Amino acid sequence: MPSAAASPLTTEDYAARMERASRAAADAGLAGLVVTPGPDLSWLCGSLEKPDAEHAAGAGAVRISGWTDGEDPYRAVG
């Protein structure tokens, strides 16, 4: 039986993922999330690094900040 092709995720799909992640963070008593480049960022917004993330389907639902190698990303968002 042939399988149906997966539909591409939309901005709304990524926004729903971000909402669930934000809600889970708040439920755990956290003030926010820091998501670094890699599979987690790709799942959350559809991209891996800032230049691509700024054009990803989920970009409209988040504030994107960047840092350069050698800088502390956690300090940047603190």
Side-chain angles (χ1 to χ4, degrees):
M1 172 180 272
S3 62
S7 299
L9 294 172
T10 66
T11 299
E12 292 78 18
D13 295 324
Y14 288 111
R17 286 181 174 186
M18 289 180 232
E19 173 60 29
R20 288 193 311 271
S22 295
R23 191 171 37 253
D27 290 347
L30 303 174
L33 297 169
V34 174
V35 184
T36 58
D40 293 334
L41 183 60
S42 180
W43 179 86
L44 198 61
C45 75
S47 185
L48 294 173
E49 294 191 5
K50 185 180 180 198
D52 294 329
E54 292 172 329
H55 296 63
V62 297
R63 186 181 79 200
I64 298 171
S65 298
W67 65 92
T68 59
D69 287 340
E71 291 181 335
D72 182 355
Y74 302 102
R75 175 175 274 203
V77 298

